Amino acid sequence: MKRKRLMLISFVTAFILLLTGCFSGETESTPDSSDGEKSSEEGGKKVLNLNNNEEPGSLHPGKAQGTHDSWILEHAFEGLTKKTPEGEIVDGMARDWEVSEDGITWTFHLKEDVEWSNGDPVTAHDFEYAWKHVLNPETAAEYAYQLYYLKGGEEYNSSENKDEHAELEENVGIKALDDHTLEVTLAEPTPYFLDLTSFYTYYPVNKKVQEENPDWALEADTYVSNGAFKLTEWKHKDSLKLEKNENYYDKDKIHLDEVNFVIIDNADTAWQMYQAGDLDLVYPLPPDVQGELSSKDDPEFEIAPDLAVYYYNLNNEVQPFNNKKVRKALSMAIDRKALVEHVSQGGQQPAYGVIPPGIPDAQGDFQENSGDLFKEDIGEAKKLLAEGLAEEGLSEMPEFTLTYNTDEGHKKIAEAVQEMWRKNLDVHVTLENVEFQVKLDREKAGDYQISRAGWVGDYVDPMTFMDLWVTGGSFNDANWSHSEYDQNIKFAKSSMDEKERMDALHKAEEILMDEMPIIPIYFYTKPFTVKPYVSGIFTPINRYPQFIYADIEK
């Protein structure tokens, strides 16, 4: 689908040379280390040191919304189920469960020996409380829609009449029958519901703690969780410390005593600390480092699969991005192959749709069956841009701003795309970098023109991506609406026929790519480095590297 042109090859070479060495001028000094392994043994304890590239926006399961939050939450909390290193869904807080023949009613039986980090028992009432807390309109949880699968969930969360909230809450399909039995009633049969119960929005919250102190999740000294680790220190915008939770029911399988996160938004700095022995695992890596390590087949370098798409939001409420032809022109003028091979350099795959590889279709792989839903074509892009601008009463494309969260990798991608748009369409773009949470807040407020975005699948089904762009969706930051798209998503959520629901999802993706409210760039991978003395790291397709069962062996 991609056309190679001599001028484009020359351009790729030019921008690679232009960007070479960018990191060296922006790194920060780091302490020297004479012993590359010193950071992993502190006072006889097994300590893992790694980086989180942003300050968490929230470490409350009901308020979290990004990977800078979830990486900590996935180790500090545990849901009804959890995933093994092989990707199998197994018992977590629940010892077992059964589901009715119609797929509507799920009954979970909790283990009787599970405790919170403060010693309180984890009960079915904590799960009922936590899920209803997320759905409570006053909580304003961005991820509340993930609980719309529950009977009455959407009605409760969408209600603006406070007088009816108590009744609507009572009608939500979750009820603790006793301390150890949780009954869940779904609005419709949901094939991936069990997968959802391992997702962080479905984690429990200690009801007593939440009611006594609604701000318990803001500081380490009031933090209470139920997972393998507990949060014991949080120096905001600097570092976090997790320690082994001695109240965890499976503590004998947890080998690490401590896990230290340093908060670093500069990938070069994190890489230097890894080289100096101050970090044992680094993710993400600088793009040029990924390319170098890949070429050397470095044994400490791993590229794991990822269920994620890198894309740009276009604010469809802002002229001229309200015009379909303008949006498609910008997308068709980007050479994705050059980006993944010469800029990101982490084995990523160019994206000509939004569903990444690795999700089963009714038969085969969903992404493979979709194929390329659009193509790169500079001539057609120029034509569409001119037509779209004329329809908007504009003689030329106004200068606009591309916003990305602070990260050298995002910066390099943005610079390359900026140059492609300039060269191919004579479009001039200003680049703006901001903190990740600032970017998220501005997207929610519609205070942007084009913004860098990414989405990691919450569960292994196309719906985890496709319901992002329904009209009024919590994460529809493009502010796009299309009735036929909405109808296909609604049908796919309610159909029990797997082929019919997958056909509806394919049709919805085709509509999305024809309208192009967002611009897919590539499908992620997870390139990271880990020291050889660290074992037991595993990488689920839709999670950051997991260290719950990690060990340090020297």
Side-chain angles (χ1 to χ4, degrees):
M1 287 275 184
K2 298 174 285 296
R3 300 197 301 176
K4 294 183 179 179
R5 297 170 179 265
L6 180 59
M7 62 184 234
L8 188 54
I9 294 173
S10 301
F11 154 67
V12 171
T13 304
F15 82 65
I16 295 169
L17 293 173
L18 177 66
L19 296 178
T20 299
C22 281
F23 292 122
S24 60
E26 300 187 11
T27 56
E28 302 171 16
S29 60
T30 56
D32 289 333
S33 170
S34 57
D35 181 359
E37 298 183 354
K38 70 179 180 65
S39 66
S40 299
E41 288 188 354
E42 298 176 9
K45 295 181 178 180
K46 292 184 177 183
V47 181
L48 180 71
N49 297 292
L50 63 165
N51 64 307
N52 200 26
N53 61 348
E54 296 284 349
E55 165 78 0
S58 176
L59 290 182
H60 189 300
K63 298 287 285 185
Q65 59 174 308
T67 48
H68 59 318
D69 309 327
S70 63
W71 204 5
I72 292 96
L73 286 173
E74 287 160 0
H75 294 85
F77 278 83
E78 186 170 289
L80 292 167
T81 62
K82 61 185 178 182
K83 291 188 176 180
T84 67
E86 296 73 34
E88 182 185 0
I89 301 171
V90 297
D91 55 290
M93 291 289 105
R95 58 178 167 80
D96 56 38
W97 51 87
E98 57 258 6
V99 59
S100 60
E101 288 188 10
D102 61 6
I104 294 292
T105 304
W106 292 72
T107 306
F108 294 90
H109 305 281
L110 270 64
K111 295 170 178 170
E112 297 188 3
D113 58 345
V114 289
E115 296 181 351
W116 292 97
S117 56
N118 67 352
D120 291 343
V122 179
T123 71
H125 300 283
D126 293 323
F127 279 92
E128 178 182 355
Y129 179 84
W131 294 10
K132 287 181 175 178
H133 178 74
V134 173
L135 287 169
N136 188 330
E138 295 182 14
T139 302
E142 296 290 346
Y143 255 122
Y145 78 95
Q146 288 289 29
L147 289 161
Y148 286 3
Y149 298 102
L150 305 185
K151 180 181 73 71
E154 183 173 6
E155 291 81 358
Y156 177 37
N157 183 249
S158 303
S159 173
E160 297 179 359
N161 184 352
K162 291 186 178 181
D163 293 336
E164 64 181 15
H165 283 180
E167 181 180 352
L168 290 172
E169 179 183 355
E170 183 65 25
N171 290 334
V172 172
I174 177 171
K175 186 174 181 60
L177 302 182
D178 55 45
D179 283 351
H180 299 103
T181 310
L182 187 71
E183 183 180 82
V184 179
T185 305
L186 304 183
E188 303 282 352
T190 305
Y192 43 86
F193 180 70
L194 197 61
D195 197 331
L196 277 168
T197 61
S198 69
F199 181 60
Y200 60 82
T201 309
Y202 282 75
Y203 289 162
V205 166
N206 187 310
K207 179 180 179 180
K208 183 180 72 173
V209 169
Q210 176 75 34
E211 289 180 337
E212 291 178 354
N213 177 18
D215 295 328
W216 64 271
L218 298 180
E219 302 294 340
D221 59 1
T222 55
Y223 203 79
V224 177
S225 60
N226 71 321
F229 297 90
K230 58 185 178 181
L231 180 67
T232 58
E233 185 176 273
W234 187 356
K235 297 178 181 178
H236 291 280
K237 296 191 175 183
D238 180 73
S239 63
L240 302 100
K241 177 187 288 187
L242 298 177
E243 295 185 23
K244 181 177 179 177
N245 179 11
E246 291 299 330
N247 289 333
Y248 184 57
Y249 68 94
D250 224 6
K251 65 181 180 182
D252 291 344
K253 294 182 180 179
I254 309 305
H255 307 294
L256 298 176
D257 296 298
E258 292 180 9
V259 179
N260 294 318
F261 284 90
V262 290
I263 299 170
I264 305 172
D265 63 8
N266 187 305
D268 277 298
T269 303
W271 172 240
Q272 288 182 357
M273 292 179 70
Y274 180 84
Q275 290 180 299
D278 296 315
L279 295 179
D280 307 307
L281 185 153
V282 169
Y283 178 73
L285 292 162
D288 57 345
V289 171
Q290 292 176 176
E292 179 184 355
L293 295 178
S294 181
S295 65
K296 294 193 305 184
D297 198 23
D298 192 299
E300 296 181 21
F301 178 60
E302 297 186 25
I303 299 181
D306 206 354
L307 194 71
V309 60
Y310 190 111
Y311 64 96
Y312 284 151
N313 279 310
L314 301 168
N315 192 336
N316 285 230
E317 294 183 344
V318 174
Q319 192 186 45
F321 308 114
N322 58 309
N323 190 286
K324 166 183 170 178
K325 292 179 179 179
V326 172
R327 300 192 299 261
K328 293 182 75 170
L330 292 173
S331 180
M332 295 173 74
I334 296 173
D335 185 344
R336 291 159 177 80
K337 187 172 186 292
L339 289 177
V340 299
E341 290 184 354
H342 303 297
V343 184
S344 59
Q345 302 183 75
Q348 296 87 354
Q349 176 181 324
Y352 300 96
V354 293
I355 307 298
I359 298 180
D361 203 338
Q363 288 187 330
D365 182 272
F366 191 95
Q367 190 271 332
E368 288 182 7
N369 291 342
S370 293
D372 294 347
L373 298 179
F374 65 93
K375 63 181 180 179
E376 293 153 6
D377 187 327
I378 296 173
E380 181 65 13
K382 289 179 177 178
K383 175 177 174 291
L384 288 173
L385 182 63
E387 291 176 357
L389 292 175
E391 291 172 2
E392 297 301 313
L394 299 172
S395 58
E396 61 181 16
M397 183 73 173
E399 187 168 333
F400 58 89
T401 300
L402 167 57
T403 303
Y404 61 92
N405 52 294
T406 304
D407 176 89
E408 276 300 312
H410 300 328
K411 178 183 178 182
K412 281 198 166 188
I413 293 290
E415 288 175 337
V417 171
Q418 176 190 44
E419 177 60 15
M420 290 175 181
W421 282 340
R422 184 201 65 79
K423 187 176 183 65
N424 297 333
L425 296 177
D426 194 25
V427 167
H428 299 278
V429 187
T430 298
L431 302 183
E432 174 191 36
N433 72 290
V434 297
E435 290 184 1
F436 189 35
Q437 194 61 45
V438 172
K439 182 192 81 78
L440 293 177
D441 293 342
R442 284 180 53 184
E443 286 170 335
K444 290 290 175 284
D447 181 22
Y448 77 96
Q449 292 174 296
I450 298 184
S451 69
R452 172 265 155 194
W455 191 261
V456 181
D458 300 329
Y459 47 93
V460 185
D461 188 272
M463 190 62 74
T464 189
F465 296 92
M466 298 309 298
D467 66 359
L468 293 178
W469 296 286
V470 296
T471 301
S474 296
F475 292 94
N476 185 355
D477 297 326
N479 300 311
W480 175 71
S481 178
H482 194 284
S483 60
E484 187 180 352
Y485 180 89
D486 293 347
Q487 290 167 9
N488 278 283
I489 298 302
K490 183 178 181 179
F491 176 83
K493 283 189 172 183
S494 60
S495 175
M496 286 294 290
D497 186 301
E498 189 66 2
K499 184 179 186 307
E500 287 184 352
R501 71 179 295 268
M502 288 298 175
D503 286 346
L505 289 168
H506 278 295
K507 189 176 298 182
E509 187 181 21
E510 291 168 4
I511 292 170
L512 187 72
M513 291 296 90
D514 180 61
E515 289 281 322
M516 204 67 70
I518 54 101
I519 298 176
I521 304 296
Y522 60 70
F523 297 126
Y524 279 92
T525 55
K526 285 194 289 279
F528 66 97
T529 53
V530 60
K531 296 293 186 180
Y533 49 78
V534 179
S535 62
I537 300 292
F538 66 100
T539 54
I541 193 171
N542 59 338
R543 298 283 194 274
Y544 270 28
Q546 302 287 290
F547 51 81
I548 181 173
Y549 301 123
D551 199 358
I552 292 174
E553 303 166 349
K554 295 186 178 180

